[in-house]
Amino acid sequence: MEQPAVNDQSRVKPKTERTMAKPHVMEEWVGRVFTTLCIVVLVVTIAAIVYFVASRGLATFITNGVSLSGLLSGLKWDPEGEIPLYGALPFIFGSFSTSLLAAVIAAPLGCCAAVFMTQIMPGLGKRVLQPVIELLAGIPSVVFGFVGLSIVVPFLRSVFPGQGIGIAAGSIVLSFMILPTITTIATDALSNLPRGLKEGSFALGATRWQTIYRLVIPTTLPALLTGVVLGMSRAFGEALAVQMVIGNAPHIPHSLFESASTLTSVITLDMGNTVMGSAHNNALWSLALILLAMTFVFVFVVRFLERRNNR
Amino acid sequence: MQATGMSANNLSVFYGEKEAIKSVSLEFAPREVTALIGPSGCGKSTFLRSLNRMNDTIGGVRTKGEIWIDGENINDPGVDVVLLRQKIGMVWQRPNPFHKSIYENIAFGPRYHGIRKKKQLDAIVEECLRKSALWEETKDRLHSSALALSGGQQQRLCIARSIAVQPKVILMDEPASALDPVSTAKVEELIAELKKDFSIIIVTHNMHQAARVSDKTAFFYMGKVVEYDKTDKIFTNPSEKATDDYISGRFG
Amino acid sequence: MSAKTADRIATAVIIAISGIIVLLLAGLLGYILFRGLPHISFHFLTSGPQTIKAGGGIGPQLFNSLFLLVLTLIITIPLGLGAGIYMSEYAKPGKLTDSIRLIVEVLSSFPSIVVGLFGLLVIVNVFGLGFSLFSGALALTVFNLPLMVRITEQAMKGVPREQKEASLALGLSRWKTITSVMLPIAMPAIVTGTILAAGRVFGEAAALLFTAGMSSPRLDFTNWNPLSPFSPLNPFRPAETLAVHIWKINSEGLAPDATQIAAGASAVLIIMVLIFNFGARWFGRYLHRKFTATK
């Protein structure tokens, strides 16, 4: 090592330096190990979920010899029949149609609420609408199911032909449940808009509405879509509220007001009544695997939209 | 308590690819106040923060070169940063007392370093508050929140807090820039007083302040030390033109 | 149509829709409370359910829900704090951290029914814990953990950097800095978030159907020995919670007053959720005042 030119006393070790105890080394170690263990538990949990659901779900195809395309496109679900049939298309259809319809209902409502809170009356929005949305997010799904059963279904029955149960009832209940998700994300996106953007548009003589639909909405579109996809993802995985109002008939309905089923509703109803390891049971796990796969799809769509948004 | 000097030898600091400090060598004598001056973004704060490896806490900062104190190179991989930081106190631009009582703010460090007896802690608290000229103002409310103090008092409390763990060097990053003139004067008085026991390195924007409080001054520009000399010399007869331009207000 | 008219119409529509949303929630709450409140009585809250006769209560279910919530929080809070602190303080930016973040995100969007199925397969069958409160608490932990991690991480990141640096500069270890300086400052946000998360846990049913079970043994509320199978405190007994009970009587309730019981139970559930919501806000503000006291 090169010696310094000047007489530098900072390089001389003082003789009286006492050797310090090092309790902190142990302490750091404990902290690091504890937090790392926690994160490991988290990672192992998700790996275990994917592994176990996949291992049971794939048993249908491996041990019971059902073909994947047969499961995905079969129209008839009769696992206890003389010749068991595992056509899950009615459930897949039910899940997609209810969550899509729910998003179609909730998206405009959520965006309106967001525009109200950020562009039209921020004061009133913060004091009234925002707490309302937060409360809505806190209502348990079984309560939504109960309300659906006692208000939405009778209402639909009196207005439209049929029993009132079905995809329409399911979508309406779900749209309530996902409204907070969509609204919150849309509100965040709209309030993060740079101030100058809007003022520039006003300065050009545009009205507020022109500014909103020509400038604000297009700029924040990816973020708004993120909210809608997250909402759909929640609707897709929701089990009890839908199961309570949809009717649970295992076929593709001819109208929105006819009894139908979703992936989650059939799992909820049948899982308790089948024997672990039986072909029927394995088929239900395959449905759960589809749910799981869709979760990943939704997460990646959201990630993709977020990346678009950040650019 | 024994004050020691510090020295930096060929110290470079990188933010990602950008070299913020370019091979700086400086030596700080014990019981002296050294001021680091220079225009914004010249690297003086970065340099100061590398002296107690505070830059480690921000991601993406890389340090090269040596910093010596008590015969140890701080940048040695084997150095125990926790023990090291006890030797080097620090005071920030904005007062940042802990969200605890006045007493706890000061007792927190010593207690961690092994002083558990209440009597001893009481004595340390009183001594540090006296040294930082806060005792008279706070002795009746030691157990109320430190956040209730005024900005100037908070800053003096932060200084008291840092001397409670008996450092050898105190780093100050523009300690008076967020304070009113009266509080600033008090902090400057305090620095003059503390110099008897500690080596002090102070970053400041205020050249009058540098002239008032420091014994030596280093002028930083674009990540390099342009000139390092006795403060008198720097402010009356600098040898570099850039220094002269800066202190006479022609840029920066 | 002129731009001015369009602007007026659009504004009116947006205000109307926002008003409708508020009215709908008010209607929803009003309906549940209006239907349910008349049915709530001391008897209803304390007595056990009836299978085919009228006059059943929700006492055990209410107790189960609260007990399960406590169990869940005991498991979730340390895990969530630890993992959240890891993410905010120890994780270095890079591929590994990014993938952990992705995992947390995926875990938080898993449908709760899938979490319940996982619980059935692994906790109930493989670990052999059976339908029990403890299995339910573990399933709810899986369901709740990502949220706790996010709450903790954000709260820790909200702590001013100078506070952390001041502690480190005194020669305190990183762990001591985290526990003694940063956590107290982050605490109001963490507590608020935890209470809100607790409200979510309280109302969750899908994850519990196949883990905590859909029935309770005849509980003997004078037996406080946690090892006895009839003791309410035994964590290894099956337990039907309030939310599960609402679902069950709606889909297969045989008692003649099933609808009233569902309404009453829903009202109780909603009131609990409201208490959690307002409690969280109030308590968060209180803690914030206390920790940043300027008295």
Side-chain angles (χ1 to χ4, degrees), chain A residues 112-192:
Chain A
C112 278
V115 168
F116 181 83
M117 274 194 272
T118 53
Q119 319 285 326
I120 296 184
M121 293 182 191
L124 202 63
K126 264 229 153 52
R127 260 181 298 118
V128 180
L129 199 51
Q130 194 164 358
V132 162
I133 298 288
E134 280 167 17
L135 268 184
L136 206 55
I139 295 181
S141 62
V142 287
V143 174
F144 275 110
F146 168 69
V147 172
L149 209 53
S150 41
I151 301 181
V152 178
V153 171
F155 172 77
L156 290 177
R157 184 160 52 209
S158 65
V159 177
F160 298 98
Q163 289 299 304
I165 48 179
I167 289 177
S171 314
I172 292 173
V173 169
L174 281 176
S175 67
F176 264 90
M177 301 182 66
I178 65 175
L179 186 61
T181 313
I182 297 179
T183 312
T184 312
I185 292 175
T187 310
D188 284 351
L190 291 181
S191 50
N192 285 341

Side-chain angles (χ1 to χ4, degrees), chain B residues 151-182:
Chain B
Q153 288 173 322
Q154 285 188 12
Q155 192 63 304
R156 279 181 283 146
L157 179 66
C158 290
I159 295 174
R161 172 179 72 187
S162 75
I163 61 179
V165 293
Q166 306 193 327
K168 305 192 165 176
V169 179
I170 303 178
L171 311 176
M172 297 188 174
D173 193 353
E174 306 194 31
S177 70
L179 305 180
D180 61 86
V182 178

Side-chain angles (χ1 to χ4, degrees), chain C residues 183-218:
Chain C
L183 261 184
I185 299 176
M187 206 40 92
I190 293 177
V191 169
T192 313
T194 307
I195 299 177
L196 284 175
R200 217 168 72 112
V201 165
F202 196 80
E204 176 55 35
L208 293 176
L209 293 181
F210 308 120
T211 51
M214 291 187 245
S215 62
S216 298
R218 283 251 155 248

Side-chain angles (χ1 to χ4, degrees), chain C residues 123-190:
Chain C
I123 303 167
V124 174
N125 290 339
V126 178
F127 291 173
L129 289 171
F131 288 136
S132 67
L133 277 165
F134 194 63
S135 306
L138 288 179
L140 286 181
T141 299
V142 174
F143 168 76
N144 199 23
L145 197 53
L147 190 63
M148 278 304 296
V149 172
R150 202 172 323 151
I151 290 166
T152 309
E153 189 186 349
Q154 273 169 7
M156 291 299 279
K157 286 204 166 141
V159 175
R161 209 178 70 195
E162 285 87 2
Q163 289 285 329
K164 177 176 157 187
E165 290 185 348
S167 171
L168 291 175
L170 288 177
L172 267 76
S173 69
R174 223 154 120 188
W175 183 242
K176 181 78 179 170
T177 300
I178 290 167
T179 52
S180 300
V181 175
M182 300 178 71
L183 261 184
I185 299 176
M187 206 40 92
I190 293 177

